[in-house]
Amino acid sequence: MQSPTVAELNDRAREVFRQIVDSYLTTGAPVGSRTLSKLGALGLSPASIRNTMQDLEELGLLAAPHTSAGRLPTQLGLRMFVDGMMQASEPSEVERAAIEGGLTGGAIEDALARTTAVLSGLSQCAGLVLVAKTEMVIRQINFVPLAPGRAMAILVGVDGSVENRLVTLPDGVPPTALEAAANYINARLAGLTLAEATDRLNAEVAADRAALDMMTASAVATGLAAWSSDGAARPVLIVRGQANLVESSVDLERVRHLLDDLEDKEELVRLLELARGAEATKIFIGAESQLFSLSGSSVIAAPYRGPGGRVVGVVGVIGPTRLNYARVIPMVDYTARTLSRLVA
């Protein structure tokens, strides 16, 4: 359904809708006409409020859960509110100091983890940071022949990490070429990242300085490509504060679905990748994200940038659809801008 715009609502409908959304975001409970009339701010009778609520329901902006006389904003209604009615509030001085403090000192990975925890605590949601995996620096590589045309490549990084890959070799590559390829990489390319090693190999082959026969050069290139081809596609995802989702929820069944969704790291990464190309903070409400359609959750995410303005990661939060958008959206945006200054 196409959401009506705020301009299409008359003043009465706009105010009734605003009060219902404000109440829902605070309590998570349906709001009835008698409750709204007792607030006095509208100056309307319960009957007039009921009629207006009915109009808003017909527009798809409100819904009545079960047999309750109260109304809740729909996903469509929340989207209209966030896009056209919400008045955002900048993070307080205390909140800014907490975010900046999380980024102070230590390795960047530790700072990202601290910042995710701080963002989670401030928003009472689960905090997220998605960052491209740091490319491994080569210490050594070995090849173990498995079958004709197949080998296991074992890469050891200077940080002590070890990764294995099954590689498919060009036709006719003998075990001696694999041994020569490992010797070449360990002697000539150790201390370089995978991208740097690939560039040097290509340059030396082009200048005929590699002293490699064709079979060995193919084995070297295949071994490097086993990691280089997927390095950028394997980002690191940091999630903190899942307990906040349980403590702040009145619907434990939805929380169970959400916690299950958070275990699906691959799908979560795909969702956050949609925010990488955004110029500003991206907001997914409920079923706008297929991943969180059952839990009815919202995701607020913003890209942060590194040297040259290049997007290097995404920071955000996941919480119930009734989170305080006016407070949390600017908080995520401020965190992204602060991260950008740190890593630039």
Side-chain angles (χ1 to χ4, degrees):
M1 180 182 294
Q2 181 66 37
S3 176
T5 64
V6 175
E8 293 175 47
L9 303 181
N10 60 37
D11 290 344
R12 174 184 294 186
R14 196 156 42 238
E15 280 309 306
V16 169
F17 180 69
R18 184 192 299 277
Q19 294 244 4
I20 291 173
V21 173
D22 285 343
S23 177
Y24 167 72
L25 294 182
T26 301
T27 68
V31 186
S33 56
R34 289 182 62 82
T35 300
L36 289 180
S37 67
K38 289 177 181 178
L39 295 176
L42 295 172
L44 299 171
S45 68
S48 295
I49 295 174
R50 271 196 302 276
N51 289 336
T52 303
M53 290 168 68
Q54 182 63 38
D55 292 340
L56 291 167
E57 187 171 356
E58 291 175 358
L59 289 171
L61 300 176
L62 298 180
H66 309 299
T67 58
S68 169
R71 300 293 189 277
L72 297 173
T74 62
Q75 176 185 302
L76 202 64
L78 285 174
R79 170 55 64 186
M80 189 188 76
F81 175 79
V82 169
D83 289 346
M85 299 179 70
M86 182 185 72
Q87 295 179 336
S89 56
E90 285 299 310
S92 68
E93 186 175 335
V94 171
E95 290 167 343
R96 292 196 302 271
I99 292 168
E100 292 168 1
L103 290 170
T104 302
I108 183 62
E109 292 81 4
D110 295 335
L112 290 172
R114 288 195 304 270
T115 300
T116 311
V118 168
L119 190 56
S120 169
L122 292 174
S123 65
Q124 289 302 292
C125 299
L128 304 167
V129 166
L130 181 71
V131 61
K133 183 174 181 179
T134 303
E135 192 171 11
M136 186 183 289
V137 177
I138 300 169
R139 175 184 292 172
Q140 68 178 54
I141 192 170
N142 291 294
F143 294 95
V144 179
L146 300 176
R150 300 281 285 172
M152 175 76 76
I154 305 168
L155 176 66
V156 181
V158 295
D159 60 355
S161 57
V162 180
E163 292 193 15
N164 302 325
R165 291 285 190 281
L166 285 172
V167 296
T168 300
L169 301 168
D171 292 339
V173 174
T176 53
L178 292 178
E179 183 178 352
N183 291 338
Y184 173 81
I185 291 173
N186 297 335
R188 300 283 299 162
L189 306 181
L192 302 178
T193 66
L194 291 161
E196 291 168 342
T198 300
D199 289 344
R200 176 174 292 182
L201 170 66
N202 292 336
E204 293 198 354
V205 169
D208 201 25
R209 293 198 308 268
L212 297 174
D213 61 39
M214 185 177 299
M215 290 295 185
T216 303
S218 295
V220 172
T222 300
L224 296 177
W227 283 272
S228 300
S229 61
D230 71 345
R234 294 180 290 118
V236 175
L237 176 64
I238 303 171
V239 182
R240 295 288 186 275
Q242 292 95 320
N244 288 331
L245 302 172
V246 179
E247 295 168 1
S248 64
S249 178
V250 295
D251 190 338
L252 293 183
E253 182 62 18
R254 284 183 179 270
V255 170
R256 184 182 67 78
H257 281 302
L258 175 53
L259 293 177
D260 287 344
D261 293 337
L262 289 176
E263 290 301 312
D264 192 344
K265 296 295 194 298
E266 186 174 340
E267 285 299 319
L268 184 52
V269 166
R270 285 199 187 101
L271 176 65
L272 293 178
E273 287 286 358
L274 295 177
R276 287 182 65 91
E279 291 298 322
T281 303
K282 188 86 171 172
I283 304 151
F284 304 92
I285 299 175
E288 292 177 354
S289 155
Q290 184 177 355
L291 176 60
F292 297 112
S293 58
L294 288 178
S295 62
S297 306
S298 288
V299 179
I300 300 172
Y304 63 93
R305 302 175 185 277
R310 180 176 59 89
V311 173
V312 294
V314 177
V315 62
V317 299
I318 296 177
T321 54
R322 67 178 191 87
L323 57 80
N324 188 337
Y325 295 93
R327 176 172 172 262
V328 177
I329 292 172
M331 191 182 296
V332 170
D333 179 68
Y334 184 79
T335 304
R337 287 186 278 121
T338 305
L339 272 171
S340 296
R341 291 196 297 270
L342 173 74
V343 300

